[in-house]
Amino acid sequence: MNNIKTPQTGARIVILTGAGISQESGLETFRDPDGIWAKVRIEDVATPEAFARDPERVHAFYNMRRKRAATLDLKPNAAHMALAALEQKWPGEVLVVTQNVDSFHERAGTTNLIHMHGRHAEARCNDCAHVVEWSGDMSLADVCQACGRAGGMRPNVVWFGETPREMDQIQSALLDCDHFISIGTSGNVYPAAGFVGLMRKLGCGHTVELNLEPSQGASLFAEAHYGPATEIVPRYVAALLEAV
Ligand code: BV8
């Protein structure tokens, strides 16, 4: 892997990840030819309107994904592990902002982590906003442990048209960061897809894309390395740590 610009020791690193980092762990991506949105429409399963219109259909969609991530015993892969190692060994702050709703980053050991699109291993009550860890199937019959009402439990994820989580913290981290790395995302979904443009516009920090292929925003990155995440991410992290 050549032409790597290594950040200064102590530099603040922000890493954005998308579905591509979990693909080699066995989870489908969204926009690859065999991806999730090739089989089901966003409007039918991933908006608040869809949940209001047909909650059981939305529950079935997330129940299937939650079950797949759990029962097939899918695990974090070498890319997730490499990012956890970077957080432990890099002499500076490393923040992972993931668009993914799976738990592979935390299971790999990453602690400084924001799930900007939520987690499907949590449920949230539409009536009282109580959040609880959730592993099995969810349905309209489920009762909120806090307010006692049924029919309002929903996956604690951010649907299209909803506001992503921790945006203030993310934006200030981007403004402060010296090194922005985007991994396994097609650059289709905003505001995440706009982070690299924000970095460019403000002239703050170096930007790197690590992806299977050039994303929608590829031309905005100062540096890019392409290939499967389990190959290029560990190699990239090793190069950064070599310079420490
Ligand atoms: C917002 C959670 C305002 C649920 C997801 C009209 C009305 C309302 C909003 C909009 C609108 N028009 C546009 C918008 C904005 C909208 C949007 O961007 N729409 C798109 C479709 C145009 N965004 C929103 O609605 C967001 N909210 O804008 O609120 C706001 C804004 C700022 C501040 C305050 C308020 C909310 C969006 C969140 C939606 N929820 N997920 C769930 O998971 O079911 S999005 C979903 O897409 C996932 O989170 C996913 O991670 C994310 C992005 O997709 P990617 O991760 O990039 O996955 P993809 O398949 O696309 O790409 C995979 C990549 O990996 C590919 O490049 C591939 O080459 C690569 N790859 C594959 N294999 C590998 C690999 N790379 C390496 N190795 C491999 N092995």
Side-chain angles (χ1 to χ4, degrees):
M1 187 175 266
N2 40 34
N3 305 325
I4 289 179
K5 179 170 183 274
T6 47
Q8 301 285 334
T9 300
R12 289 157 301 203
I13 300 175
V14 174
I15 302 167
L16 173 69
T17 65
I21 199 170
S22 297
Q23 188 268 333
E24 291 163 271
S25 290
L27 287 188
E28 292 167 309
T29 63
F30 290 87
R31 292 171 187 80
D32 286 332
D34 59 347
I36 292 172
W37 301 143
K39 298 166 191 141
V40 65
R41 287 175 357 116
I42 287 174
E43 296 76 11
D44 293 335
V45 294
T47 66
E49 295 78 13
F51 189 65
R53 187 171 54 246
D54 189 352
E56 288 303 2
R57 174 158 192 196
V58 173
H59 278 312
F61 175 64
Y62 286 94
N63 289 344
M64 172 273 291
R65 287 173 60 197
R66 195 179 301 110
K67 192 175 290 172
R68 178 167 170 70
T71 47
L72 292 185
D73 192 23
L74 303 184
K75 300 189 209 21
N77 61 50
H80 298 104
M81 306 308 280
L83 296 188
L86 183 65
E87 178 186 346
Q88 279 140 28
K89 297 176 186 161
W90 179 256
E93 185 180 357
V94 176
L95 170 67
V96 175
V97 178
T98 188
Q99 300 173 87
N100 299 340
V101 293
D102 62 57
S103 306
F104 289 149
H105 282 302
E106 41 275 69
R107 286 173 57 195
T110 289
T111 57
N112 196 16
L113 172 66
I114 294 175
H115 274 276
M116 67 178 291
H117 292 163
R119 293 178 60 225
H120 63 32
E122 289 174 343
R124 190 174 88 239
C125 175
N126 249 351
D127 297 314
C128 73
H130 178 66
V131 173
V132 64
E133 286 289 315
W134 201 277
S135 54
D137 285 352
M138 203 182 297
S139 82
L140 283 176
D142 288 305
V143 174
C144 172
Q145 294 162 356
C147 69
R149 277 172 276 191
M153 296 309 282
R154 58 163 281 181
N156 192 25
V157 300
V158 176
W159 284 324
F160 288 92
E162 294 185 323
T163 303
R165 304 281 161 74
E166 314 290 347
M167 281 306 296
D168 292 345
Q169 186 188 345
I170 294 170
Q171 260 149 6
S172 59
L174 288 171
L175 298 182
D176 285 348
C177 101
D178 308 297
H179 210 83
F180 175 73
I181 308 166
S182 176
I183 302 175
T185 180
S186 63
N188 270 290
V189 175
Y190 290 83
F195 292 169
V196 61
L198 176 69
M199 295 283 301
R200 292 275 304 229
K201 199 166 80 188
L202 298 170
C204 55
H206 184 61
T207 56
V208 183
E209 175 165 78
L210 304 178
N211 208 47
L212 190 63
E213 60 200 7
S215 70
Q216 293 274 357
S219 61
L220 296 172
F221 288 91
E223 180 181 338
H225 305 280
Y226 296 111
T230 55
E231 286 172 24
I232 60 172
V233 176
R235 291 217 315 260
Y236 183 79
V237 166
L240 260 57
L241 292 177
E242 227 167 73
V244 171

